[in-house]
Amino acid sequence: MIAEQILFSQGFGTRHECTGLIVQGRFRVNGTAVTDPDEDIPTEDLTFEVDGVQWPFFEKAIILLNKPEHYECSLKPIHHPSVLSLLPPPLRVRKVQPVGRLDEDTTGLLLLTDDGKLIHRLTHPKKHVTKIYRVTLKHPVTEKQIAQLLKGVQLADSPDIVKAVSCDKVSELVIDLGITQGKYHQVKRMMAAVSNRVVALERIRFGNLSLPEDLKPGEWTWGKSAQEIIG
Ligand code: URA
């Protein structure tokens, strides 16, 4: 792929702006400035630099973000900043979007991508990708509640019956709940349906991906491939 196309595809601005970065010597490959916008550069396993910052080349971006509280997943947030404000400009220019949504007060693993097909695969209800939430509860969890969650509960104001695919008790007030759908406020409504209440919610797993332990709230890292998520 030619140098200008590489920068353009990775979100470094208009074609004109990308050409500018290159002729100004700000684009480097293997430590050497590439100053010809038409130079052909193999993209396999490519890492390049712009103004000294390293970027791996990915045809499609997959981003793992540890979402902090008080950020909205909406692209047009109302009360709080958007999660997109936690990402560097090239990723926003590439138009990465959250895969599903977490509530403003939910923390943890949020995937973002500019791959529309992947968003579809990961959010389509029939694909059954499991999401695991660490749920901190107001009242100690009971065996009866766990059994109800696994059997299926009816959500308030809705005909929907939803069931957990897993429910592991971590402590009296903490459970790890696995669900495959992504209905509005689903976990909070499931806990309300069994007469308990969520006081904190963190997504710790999405498909095969766990929230990386060293990823602090507000930090992000690159995902490698869809296979890594779906298996
Ligand atoms: N369930 C909820 O209630 N909220 C979330 O953010 C995610 C799942």
Side-chain angles (χ1 to χ4, degrees):
M1 192 180 284
I2 63 166
E4 179 245 42
Q5 178 63 22
I6 289 178
L7 285 185
F8 181 70
S9 70
Q10 303 298 289
F12 285 85
T14 62
R15 290 188 186 279
H16 185 69
E17 287 164 342
C18 293
T19 301
L21 288 171
I22 296 165
V23 296
Q24 289 161 21
R26 295 162 66 186
F27 172 62
R28 295 169 87 86
V29 176
N30 296 328
T32 309
V34 174
T35 53
D36 176 2
D38 290 324
E39 183 166 328
D40 202 11
I41 298 164
T43 54
E44 204 182 322
D45 296 327
L46 171 67
T47 297
F48 60 90
E49 271 175 49
V50 175
D51 293 336
V53 177
Q54 298 225 340
W55 293 86
F57 176 93
F58 284 109
E59 203 174 308
K60 295 287 179 194
I62 301 177
I63 303 299
L64 281 60
L65 173 73
N66 186 351
K67 180 190 171 296
E69 269 189 294
H70 311 314
Y71 281 84
E72 293 184 25
C73 288
S74 165
L75 304 181
K76 293 196 180 134
I78 301 172
H79 300 294
H80 300 279
S82 163
V83 287
L84 294 178
S85 66
L86 296 165
L87 302 180
L91 293 178
R92 301 206 296 265
V93 170
R94 289 181 72 164
K95 294 202 167 33
V96 298
Q97 291 183 36
V99 178
R101 288 189 180 185
L102 293 177
D103 296 336
E104 166 274 318
D105 54 355
T106 300
T107 59
L109 181 56
L110 180 69
L111 296 178
L112 301 103
T113 181
D114 56 359
D115 184 345
K117 282 196 191 130
L118 182 59
I119 293 184
H120 183 76
R121 266 164 79 190
L122 294 176
T123 54
H124 197 280
K126 296 229 166 80
K127 304 283 181 189
H128 298 300
V129 178
T130 300
K131 276 84 60 176
I132 298 185
Y133 293 86
R134 179 145 295 177
V135 192
T136 306
L137 298 162
K138 177 142 189 229
H139 310 291
V141 67
T142 64
E143 289 307 317
K144 186 173 167 205
Q145 287 172 350
I146 292 176
Q148 282 176 310
L149 291 163
L150 290 169
K151 186 161 176 250
V153 294
Q154 175 144 25
L155 299 178
D157 305 323
S158 151
D160 296 332
I161 302 221
V162 290
K163 59 180 172 187
V165 290
S166 61
C167 185
D168 300 314
K169 183 169 164 182
V170 178
S171 68
E172 287 302 304
L173 290 173
V174 180
I175 56 171
D176 284 348
L177 191 75
I179 57 173
T180 55
Q181 312 99 316
K183 294 184 189 297
Y184 183 64
H185 291 334
Q186 181 166 335
V187 174
K188 291 173 186 164
R189 290 161 77 206
M190 287 174 79
M191 296 319 305
V194 298
S195 306
N196 207 321
R197 191 168 164 177
V198 173
V199 294
L201 191 57
E202 180 187 25
R203 183 154 66 192
I204 57 172
R205 214 175 158 86
F206 193 121
N208 291 331
L209 270 184
S210 296
L211 182 63
E213 268 180 26
D214 55 352
L215 198 67
K216 300 192 182 67
E219 290 183 347
W220 65 275
T221 187
W222 295 95
K224 304 283 176 295
S225 66
Q227 273 63 46
E228 178 189 45
I229 307 166
I230 305 163

Coordinates of all heavy atoms in Angstrom, one line a residue, residues 1-57:
M1 N 0.9 -1.2 0.0 CA 0.0 0.0 0.0 C 0.9 1.2 0.0 O 1.9 1.2 0.7 CB -0.9 0.0 1.3 CG -2.0 1.0 1.3 SD -3.0 0.9 2.8 CE -4.0 -0.6 2.6
I2 N 0.5 2.3 -0.7 CA 1.4 3.4 -0.8 C 1.3 4.2 0.5 O 0.3 4.2 1.2 CB 1.1 4.3 -2.0 CG1 -0.3 4.9 -2.0 CG2 1.4 3.6 -3.3 CD1 -0.5 6.1 -3.0
A3 N 2.3 5.0 0.8 CA 2.5 5.7 2.1 C 1.2 6.5 2.4 O 0.7 6.5 3.5 CB 3.7 6.5 2.1
E4 N 0.8 7.3 1.4 CA -0.3 8.2 1.7 C -1.6 7.4 2.0 O -2.3 7.8 2.9 CB -0.5 9.1 0.4 CG -1.6 10.1 0.5 CD -2.7 9.7 -0.5 OE1 -3.1 8.5 -0.7 OE2 -3.2 10.6 -1.1
Q5 N -1.8 6.3 1.3 CA -3.0 5.5 1.6 C -2.9 4.9 3.0 O -3.9 4.7 3.6 CB -3.0 4.4 0.5 CG -4.2 3.5 0.6 CD -5.6 4.1 0.5 OE1 -5.7 5.2 -0.1 NE2 -6.6 3.5 1.1
I6 N -1.7 4.5 3.4 CA -1.6 3.9 4.7 C -2.0 4.9 5.8 O -2.9 4.6 6.6 CB -0.1 3.5 5.0 CG1 0.3 2.3 4.2 CG2 0.1 3.3 6.5 CD1 1.7 1.8 4.3
L7 N -1.5 6.2 5.7 CA -1.9 7.2 6.7 C -3.4 7.5 6.6 O -4.1 7.6 7.6 CB -1.1 8.4 6.6 CG 0.4 8.3 7.1 CD1 1.1 9.6 7.1 CD2 0.4 7.8 8.6
F8 N -3.9 7.6 5.4 CA -5.3 7.9 5.2 C -6.2 6.8 5.8 O -7.1 7.1 6.5 CB -5.6 8.1 3.7 CG -7.0 8.5 3.4 CD1 -7.5 9.7 3.7 CD2 -7.9 7.6 2.8 CE1 -8.8 10.1 3.5 CE2 -9.2 7.9 2.5 CZ -9.7 9.1 2.9
S9 N -5.8 5.6 5.5 CA -6.7 4.5 6.0 C -6.6 4.3 7.5 O -7.6 3.8 8.1 CB -6.2 3.1 5.4 OG -5.0 2.8 5.9
Q10 N -5.6 4.8 8.1 CA -5.4 4.7 9.6 C -5.9 5.9 10.3 O -5.7 6.1 11.6 CB -4.0 4.4 10.0 CG -3.4 3.1 9.3 CD -4.2 1.9 9.6 OE1 -4.1 1.4 10.8 NE2 -5.0 1.3 8.7
G11 N -6.5 6.9 9.6 CA -7.2 8.0 10.3 C -6.4 9.2 10.5 O -6.7 10.0 11.4
F12 N -5.3 9.4 9.7 CA -4.5 10.6 9.9 C -4.9 11.8 9.2 O -4.1 12.7 9.0 CB -3.0 10.2 9.7 CG -2.5 9.4 10.9 CD1 -2.7 8.0 10.9 CD2 -1.9 10.0 12.0 CE1 -2.3 7.2 12.0 CE2 -1.5 9.2 13.0 CZ -1.7 7.9 13.1
G13 N -6.1 11.9 8.7 CA -6.6 13.1 8.1 C -7.0 12.9 6.7 O -7.1 11.8 6.2
T14 N -7.2 14.0 6.0 CA -7.6 14.0 4.6 C -6.3 13.5 3.8 O -5.2 13.5 4.3 CB -7.9 15.4 4.1 OG1 -6.8 16.2 4.2 CG2 -9.1 16.0 4.8
R15 N -6.5 13.1 2.6 CA -5.4 12.7 1.7 C -4.4 13.8 1.7 O -3.1 13.5 1.7 CB -5.9 12.3 0.3 CG -6.7 11.1 0.3 CD -7.0 10.6 -1.1 NE -7.9 9.5 -1.0 CZ -7.5 8.2 -0.8 NH1 -6.2 7.9 -0.6 NH2 -8.4 7.2 -0.7
H16 N -4.8 15.0 1.6 CA -3.9 16.2 1.5 C -3.1 16.3 2.8 O -1.9 16.5 2.8 CB -4.8 17.4 1.3 CG -4.0 18.7 1.1 ND1 -3.2 18.9 -0.1 CD2 -3.8 19.8 1.8 CE1 -2.6 20.0 0.0 NE2 -3.0 20.6 1.2
E17 N -3.8 16.1 3.9 CA -3.1 16.2 5.2 C -2.1 15.1 5.4 O -1.0 15.3 5.9 CB -4.1 16.2 6.4 CG -4.9 17.5 6.5 CD -6.1 17.3 7.4 OE1 -6.6 16.2 7.6 OE2 -6.7 18.4 7.8
C18 N -2.4 13.9 4.9 CA -1.5 12.7 5.0 C -0.3 13.0 4.1 O 0.8 12.7 4.5 CB -2.3 11.5 4.6 SG -3.6 11.0 5.7
T19 N -0.5 13.5 2.9 CA 0.6 13.8 2.0 C 1.5 14.8 2.8 O 2.8 14.7 2.7 CB 0.1 14.4 0.7 OG1 -0.7 13.4 0.1 CG2 1.3 14.7 -0.2
G20 N 0.9 15.8 3.4 CA 1.7 16.8 4.2 C 2.6 16.2 5.2 O 3.8 16.5 5.3
L21 N 2.0 15.3 6.0 CA 2.8 14.6 7.1 C 4.0 13.9 6.5 O 5.1 13.9 7.1 CB 1.9 13.6 7.8 CG 0.8 14.1 8.7 CD1 -0.1 13.0 9.2 CD2 1.4 14.8 9.9
I22 N 3.8 13.3 5.3 CA 4.8 12.5 4.7 C 5.9 13.4 4.2 O 7.1 13.2 4.5 CB 4.3 11.6 3.6 CG1 3.3 10.5 4.2 CG2 5.4 10.9 2.8 CD1 2.4 9.8 3.2
V23 N 5.6 14.4 3.4 CA 6.7 15.2 2.8 C 7.4 16.0 3.9 O 8.6 16.4 3.7 CB 6.1 16.2 1.7 CG1 5.6 15.3 0.5 CG2 5.1 17.1 2.2
Q24 N 6.7 16.2 5.0 CA 7.4 17.0 6.1 C 8.3 16.0 6.9 O 8.9 16.4 8.0 CB 6.4 17.6 7.1 CG 5.6 18.8 6.5 CD 4.3 19.1 7.2 OE1 4.1 18.7 8.3 NE2 3.4 19.7 6.5
G25 N 8.4 14.7 6.5 CA 9.3 13.8 7.2 C 8.8 13.3 8.6 O 9.5 12.8 9.4
R26 N 7.5 13.4 8.8 CA 6.9 13.1 10.1 C 6.4 11.6 10.2 O 6.0 11.1 11.2 CB 5.7 14.0 10.4 CG 6.3 15.5 10.6 CD 5.2 16.5 10.5 NE 4.2 16.4 11.6 CZ 3.1 17.2 11.6 NH1 2.8 18.0 10.6 NH2 2.3 17.0 12.6
F27 N 6.5 10.9 9.0 CA 6.1 9.5 8.9 C 7.3 8.7 8.8 O 8.1 8.9 7.9 CB 5.2 9.4 7.7 CG 4.8 8.0 7.3 CD1 4.1 7.2 8.2 CD2 5.1 7.5 6.0 CE1 3.7 5.9 7.8 CE2 4.8 6.2 5.7 CZ 4.0 5.4 6.5
R28 N 7.5 7.7 9.7 CA 8.7 6.9 9.7 C 8.3 5.4 9.7 O 7.4 5.0 10.4 CB 9.6 7.2 10.9 CG 10.1 8.6 10.9 CD 10.7 9.0 12.2 NE 12.1 8.6 12.3 CZ 13.1 9.3 11.9 NH1 12.9 10.5 11.4 NH2 14.4 8.9 12.0
V29 N 9.1 4.6 9.0 CA 9.0 3.2 9.0 C 10.4 2.6 9.3 O 11.3 3.0 8.7 CB 8.4 2.7 7.7 CG1 8.4 1.1 7.7 CG2 7.1 3.2 7.4
N30 N 10.4 1.7 10.3 CA 11.7 1.1 10.7 C 12.7 2.2 11.0 O 13.9 2.1 10.7 CB 12.3 0.2 9.6 CG 11.4 -1.0 9.4 OD1 10.7 -1.5 10.3 ND2 11.3 -1.5 8.2
G31 N 12.3 3.3 11.6 CA 13.2 4.3 12.1 C 13.6 5.3 11.0 O 14.4 6.3 11.3
T32 N 13.2 5.1 9.8 CA 13.6 6.0 8.7 C 12.4 6.8 8.1 O 11.3 6.2 7.9 CB 14.2 5.1 7.5 OG1 15.1 4.3 8.0 CG2 14.8 6.0 6.4
A33 N 12.6 8.1 7.9 CA 11.5 8.9 7.3 C 11.2 8.4 5.9 O 12.1 8.2 5.1 CB 11.8 10.3 7.4
V34 N 9.9 8.2 5.6 CA 9.5 8.0 4.3 C 8.9 9.3 3.8 O 7.9 9.7 4.3 CB 8.4 6.8 4.2 CG1 7.8 6.6 2.8 CG2 8.9 5.5 4.8
T35 N 9.5 9.9 2.8 CA 9.1 11.2 2.4 C 8.4 11.2 1.0 O 7.9 12.3 0.5 CB 10.3 12.2 2.3 OG1 11.3 11.6 1.5 CG2 10.8 12.5 3.7
D36 N 8.3 10.0 0.4 CA 7.6 10.0 -0.9 C 6.2 9.4 -0.7 O 6.0 8.2 -0.3 CB 8.4 9.1 -1.9 CG 7.6 8.9 -3.2 OD1 6.5 9.5 -3.4 OD2 8.1 8.1 -4.0
P37 N 5.1 10.2 -0.9 CA 3.7 9.7 -0.6 C 3.4 8.5 -1.4 O 2.5 7.7 -1.0 CB 2.9 10.9 -1.0 CG 3.8 12.1 -1.0 CD 5.1 11.6 -1.3
D38 N 4.1 8.3 -2.5 CA 3.7 7.1 -3.4 C 4.6 5.9 -3.1 O 4.5 4.9 -3.8 CB 3.9 7.5 -4.9 CG 2.8 8.5 -5.3 OD1 1.7 8.4 -4.8 OD2 3.1 9.4 -6.1
E39 N 5.5 6.0 -2.1 CA 6.3 4.8 -1.9 C 5.4 3.6 -1.4 O 4.6 3.8 -0.5 CB 7.4 5.1 -0.8 CG 8.3 3.9 -0.5 CD 9.5 4.3 0.2 OE1 10.0 5.4 0.1 OE2 10.0 3.4 1.0
D40 N 5.7 2.4 -2.0 CA 4.9 1.3 -1.6 C 5.5 0.6 -0.4 O 6.7 0.3 -0.3 CB 5.0 0.3 -2.8 CG 3.8 -0.7 -2.8 OD1 2.8 -0.4 -2.0 OD2 3.8 -1.6 -3.6
I41 N 4.7 0.4 0.6 CA 5.1 -0.2 1.9 C 4.3 -1.4 2.2 O 3.0 -1.3 2.2 CB 5.0 0.9 3.0 CG1 5.9 2.0 2.7 CG2 5.4 0.3 4.3 CD1 5.6 3.3 3.5
P42 N 4.9 -2.6 2.4 CA 4.1 -3.8 2.8 C 3.4 -3.5 4.2 O 4.0 -3.0 5.1 CB 5.1 -4.9 2.9 CG 6.4 -4.4 2.4 CD 6.3 -2.9 2.4
T43 N 2.1 -3.8 4.3 CA 1.4 -3.5 5.5 C 1.4 -4.7 6.5 O 0.9 -4.5 7.6 CB -0.1 -3.1 5.2 OG1 -0.7 -4.2 4.4 CG2 -0.2 -1.8 4.5
E44 N 1.8 -5.9 6.0 CA 1.8 -7.0 6.9 C 2.7 -6.8 8.1 O 3.9 -6.5 7.9 CB 2.2 -8.3 6.2 CG 1.6 -9.5 6.9 CD 2.0 -10.8 6.2 OE1 2.1 -10.8 4.9 OE2 2.3 -11.8 6.9
D45 N 2.2 -6.9 9.3 CA 2.9 -6.7 10.6 C 3.6 -5.3 10.6 O 4.7 -5.2 11.2 CB 4.0 -7.8 10.8 CG 3.3 -9.1 11.0 OD1 2.2 -9.2 11.5 OD2 3.9 -10.1 10.5
L46 N 3.0 -4.4 9.9 CA 3.7 -3.0 9.9 C 3.4 -2.2 11.2 O 2.3 -2.2 11.7 CB 3.1 -2.2 8.7 CG 3.5 -0.8 8.6 CD1 5.0 -0.6 8.3 CD2 2.7 -0.1 7.5
T47 N 4.5 -1.6 11.7 CA 4.3 -0.6 12.7 C 5.0 0.6 12.2 O 6.1 0.5 11.7 CB 4.9 -1.0 14.0 OG1 4.2 -2.2 14.5 CG2 4.8 0.1 15.1
F48 N 4.3 1.7 12.2 CA 4.9 3.0 11.7 C 4.9 4.0 12.8 O 4.3 3.8 13.8 CB 4.1 3.5 10.4 CG 2.7 3.8 10.6 CD1 2.3 5.0 11.0 CD2 1.7 2.8 10.5 CE1 0.9 5.3 11.3 CE2 0.4 3.0 10.7 CZ 0.0 4.3 11.1
E49 N 5.5 5.1 12.5 CA 5.6 6.2 13.5 C 5.1 7.5 12.9 O 5.4 7.8 11.7 CB 7.0 6.5 13.9 CG 7.5 5.7 15.1 CD 9.0 6.1 15.3 OE1 9.4 7.2 15.3 OE2 9.8 5.1 15.4
V50 N 4.3 8.3 13.6 CA 3.9 9.6 13.2 C 4.3 10.5 14.4 O 3.9 10.3 15.5 CB 2.4 9.8 12.9 CG1 2.1 11.2 12.6 CG2 2.0 8.9 11.7
D51 N 5.2 11.5 14.1 CA 5.7 12.4 15.1 C 6.2 11.6 16.3 O 5.9 12.0 17.5 CB 4.6 13.4 15.5 CG 4.3 14.3 14.4 OD1 5.1 14.5 13.5 OD2 3.1 14.9 14.4
G52 N 6.9 10.5 16.1 CA 7.5 9.7 17.2 C 6.6 8.8 17.9 O 7.0 8.0 18.7
V53 N 5.3 8.8 17.6 CA 4.3 7.9 18.2 C 4.1 6.6 17.3 O 3.9 6.8 16.1 CB 2.9 8.6 18.4 CG1 1.9 7.6 19.1 CG2 3.1 9.8 19.3
Q54 N 4.2 5.5 17.9 CA 4.1 4.2 17.1 C 2.7 3.8 17.0 O 1.9 3.9 17.9 CB 4.9 3.1 17.9 CG 6.3 3.4 18.1 CD 7.2 2.2 17.8 OE1 6.7 1.0 17.8 NE2 8.4 2.4 17.4
W55 N 2.4 3.3 15.8 CA 1.0 2.9 15.4 C 1.1 1.5 14.7 O 1.8 1.5 13.7 CB 0.3 3.9 14.5 CG 0.0 5.2 15.2 CD1 0.9 6.2 15.2 CD2 -1.2 5.5 15.9 NE1 0.3 7.2 16.0 CE2 -1.0 6.8 16.3 CE3 -2.4 4.8 16.1 CZ2 -1.9 7.5 17.1 CZ3 -3.3 5.5 16.8 CH2 -3.1 6.8 17.3
P56 N 0.5 0.5 15.2 CA 0.4 -0.7 14.4 C -0.6 -0.5 13.3 O -1.6 0.2 13.5 CB -0.1 -1.8 15.4 CG -0.8 -1.0 16.5 CD -0.2 0.4 16.5
F57 N -0.3 -1.1 12.1 CA -1.3 -1.0 11.0 C -2.4 -2.1 11.2 O -2.1 -3.2 11.3 CB -0.6 -1.2 9.7 CG -1.6 -1.2 8.5 CD1 -1.8 0.0 7.8 CD2 -2.2 -2.3 8.1 CE1 -2.7 0.0 6.8 CE2 -3.1 -2.3 7.0 CZ -3.4 -1.2 6.4

